[in-house]
């Protein structure tokens, strides 16, 4: 419960979108280590699961590790960037509203519609 005398711990959060490639040698990044999203879309965990799924598919599809890891990046980068951009736009609107509420809700709907598409 928030009230007089209760301590509220506050700290800013970091968001990042690393440029591809998301691997070096046999080391590959996924989830928040390569794309930490704002909390507005509540999709960080889901994006990490998608990363793992696509990585597994690409490793299964190709017998060459470099080809598989490059394929993982190609398949993931545009989708993650789109959700990153939408979440960041919603975050900016919450901090400094510049558009109507309908615009803000439209961003959220666009993000969820995009997330509902197959990986």
């Amino acid at each position: 419960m928030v009230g007089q005398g209760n301590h509220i711990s506050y700290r800013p959060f970091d968001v990042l979108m690393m440029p591809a490639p998301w691997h070096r040698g046999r080391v590959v990044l996924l989830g928040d280590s390569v794309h930490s999203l704002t909390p507005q879309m509540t999709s960080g965990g889901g994006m990490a699961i998608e990363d793992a799924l696509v990585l597994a598919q690409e490793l299964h599809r190709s017998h060459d590790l470099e080809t598989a890891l490059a394929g993982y990046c190609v398949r993931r980068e545009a989708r993650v960037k789109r959700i990153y951009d939408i979440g960041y736009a919603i975050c900016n609107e919450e901090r400094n509203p510049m558009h109507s509420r309908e615009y803000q809700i439209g961003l959220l709907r666009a993000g969820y519609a995009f997330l509902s598409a197959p990986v």
Side-chain angles (χ1 to χ4, degrees):
M1 179 163 157
V2 176
Q4 189 78 9
N6 291 3
H7 174 73
I8 297 174
S9 180
Y10 167 82
R11 67 180 179 87
F13 50 85
D14 293 323
V15 295
L16 76 113
M17 178 74 193
M18 299 293 292
W22 296 347
H23 68 283
R24 182 177 298 156
R26 295 174 20 158
V27 176
V28 63
L29 301 177
L30 58 82
D32 282 354
S33 67
V34 71
H35 50 74
S36 64
L37 308 172
T38 66
Q40 280 73 15
M41 294 293 303
T42 64
S43 57
M47 297 305 275
I49 292 168
E50 286 183 12
D51 286 351
L53 172 71
V54 170
L55 178 59
Q57 288 172 341
E58 291 299 318
L59 288 169
H60 180 75
R61 182 181 310 183
S62 177
H63 295 294
D64 177 64
L65 182 62
E66 182 61 32
T67 301
L69 298 181
Y72 157 72
C73 288
V74 166
R75 285 183 59 196
R76 293 301 295 152
E77 188 176 30
R79 180 170 168 88
V80 172
K81 178 76 166 98
R82 171 80 183 207
I83 295 303
Y84 174 90
D85 289 344
I86 291 171
Y88 201 76
I90 294 169
C91 180
N92 284 334
E93 281 291 320
E94 288 177 353
R95 291 177 21 197
N96 184 21
M98 307 255 319
H99 300 94
S100 69
R101 179 131 173 92
E102 289 76 27
Y103 172 81
Q104 296 167 11
I105 292 170
L107 283 173
L108 194 59
R109 285 185 176 148
Y112 285 133
F114 189 74
L115 280 173
S116 69
V119 178

